Amino acid sequence: MGLTSRPLLYAMGALAVACVGLTLRLWPRYAGRGPRALLGRFGAIAVTQLAIVATLGLAVNANFEFYASWHELLGLYDGAPAAVGKWGKGGTTGPVGDPSKGLVQPSGPDGLDKVHGLPKGRPDRAGRVESVRIVGKRTRVVDGAYVYLPPQYFQRQYARQRFPVVVALSGYPGGTFLLGQHLRLPQTAAGLIRSGRMQPTVIVMMRPTIAPPRDTQCMDVPGGPQAETFFARDVPDALRSHYRVGHDPGGWGVLGYSSGGSCALQLVMRHDRTYTAAAALSPDYKVSNDPTTGNLFGGGKDRIRRRQEHDLMWRLAHLPAPGVNVLVGTSRTGEKNYPAAKAFLDAVRPPMTADSIVLGHGSHNFATWRRELPAALQWMSKSLTFPEDLVGNS
């Protein structure tokens, strides 16, 4: 049974209930003071607690899809950080990662069938959300995505026009599913487009790690996953090869929450020839090593330079400001990131511009990010160019 399957959750729930019942029934037998009685009570408590905790863990994971499979949970990805080195040697990556079959390939639901409130009906009236796999032309990374296509994408009067793109990144360890089910990104965008408050935009929803369960922080790790190259170069190339989207950086933005917001700022400030706008909800402003990331900066004399270049405050103080637009979402109380957000916004200088969404109170959760999302999408809509160009012009 799959890690997020209902039968597994129900079976574990039934086991937990049975353990509780057995503990209540057998408890009098272990009422004595001898070693056997003590071990019996300890064993009954341990097994019952384990069953209950496992049930709760499965329920939370099924709802939020932090891990979509047993392989992700256990980290059994056959040396995912070394995938680049393996590519092309005897076909060990499997057919799904073959670029000759397209850089955007159809995929199974990957949780999309569990997302509530997605557009329904004719695509030219309601739009459509697709589940796909994106294949990196350079990195050979294969990663899943949901792609929201607005109704105008299917309408005759827009048949030759390219659309702006927002690449949306979830937090860690959450996956693409959370962008649809809990952030409600495609549902919110569809409503804004329908009411005329947002221009028609293609939204590509992804998770920020390319080597789960490791948190790759959208970085090119020396000797490891090349996440930055994947999101800055491979993903745009793949989308342009498959969808009718813009070729100019003015039509490309990146949005994210939590660690996905951190990635959004990193990508736009480091790759202003790919993305020109970033909306970051509750981000961090520098990359640091922790138990989920491992060593992101490698060794040798370049380690300090790599660490500095991924510190956005250091970049603002020591490097030329890029000509990009950023939006930062934060809360005065309820989160710890307000002082850092204020310092970052104060440090921005031309030609870079910065705006903010500042709530009076908001915690580091989806309730806060859903409040910020409509304003962030409308800000992004004003920052991106549409229509950018006509199909066939370049």
Side-chain angles (χ1 to χ4, degrees), residues 104-130:
V104 177
Q105 302 174 5
S107 173
D110 280 346
L112 186 61
D113 53 337
K114 301 177 184 177
V115 176
H116 301 297
L118 293 178
K120 294 182 179 179
R122 288 175 43 178
D124 61 342
R125 294 181 179 177
R128 185 169 72 200
V129 182
E130 301 178 342

Side-chain angles (χ1 to χ4, degrees), residues 199-244:
Q199 62 183 332
T201 303
V202 173
I203 299 178
V204 182
M205 293 158 272
M206 306 183 73
R207 60 185 177 184
T209 179
I210 63 170
R214 185 178 185 182
D215 182 6
T216 49
Q217 289 280 326
C218 295
M219 277 189 59
D220 282 351
V221 180
Q226 303 296 289
E228 185 173 0
T229 297
F230 179 69
F231 287 111
R233 303 185 67 186
D234 283 347
V235 168
D237 282 353
L239 296 173
R240 291 186 186 106
S241 75
H242 189 80
Y243 294 105
R244 215 165 60 250

